[in-house]
Amino acid sequence: MQSDQDLPQDTVEAIAKLVEKAFGYVPRAPIQHLNDGDYQPRYLPPPVPHLLGMLDAPPRLVAHLAVVHDAAVEIVDGLARQFPKLELDRDAVFFGAATHDVGKVTHPNELTGPGNEHEA
């Protein structure tokens, strides 16, 4: 899987333009702020931190889930601004984003490489 740092700059700019066209602005992109020292992800929704603690989730997985959750919040907030009549279960979206890869606890090799055994 590529990180945003592996993508050519023109690809990143093209994606940003598409996002801006869809939402009317470019949401705060967590990945772009990971190295600037100012980025702090939102708190994961309860009971996710407790669940991750019980599973002894590795820090890399917790960080990944926090960034994905943060991105989900930005996307849902953008959708709500752009489409105020759109109905969706925000809590379900945020919980899903914060737990989508929890199966990787039992397949730690998939934290640094490809694989889908955690989905079984």
Side-chain angles (χ1 to χ4, degrees):
M1 176 182 293
Q2 288 185 325
S3 74
D4 65 327
Q5 294 170 341
D6 296 332
L7 296 173
Q9 186 60 34
D10 59 334
T11 302
V12 173
E13 290 170 7
I15 292 169
K17 285 179 184 177
L18 288 171
V19 170
E20 184 173 20
K21 184 176 180 182
F23 293 109
Y25 74 103
V26 179
R28 180 173 61 92
I31 291 295
Q32 294 175 354
H33 299 290
L34 287 177
N35 295 323
D36 70 8
D38 292 331
Y39 172 68
Q40 291 293 321
R42 293 168 177 85
Y43 291 106
L44 292 170
V48 175
H50 180 69
L51 171 66
L52 296 175
M54 286 176 38
L55 295 172
D56 198 26
R60 183 181 185 103
L61 176 60
V62 174
H64 167 70
L65 295 173
V67 170
V68 171
H69 169 262
D70 214 31
V73 171
E74 291 290 327
I75 291 168
V76 168
D77 287 350
L79 286 170
R81 281 189 293 276
Q82 193 71 17
F83 306 100
K85 294 183 181 181
L86 178 68
E87 294 181 21
L88 57 92
D89 186 340
R90 294 172 63 92
D91 291 338
V93 172
F94 300 153
F95 184 81
T99 60
H100 76 282
D101 271 345
V102 75
K104 289 187 178 186
V105 166
T106 58
H107 299 282
N109 58 315
E110 293 182 14
L111 289 170
T112 56
N116 60 2
E117 292 179 17
H118 71 282
E119 296 173 0

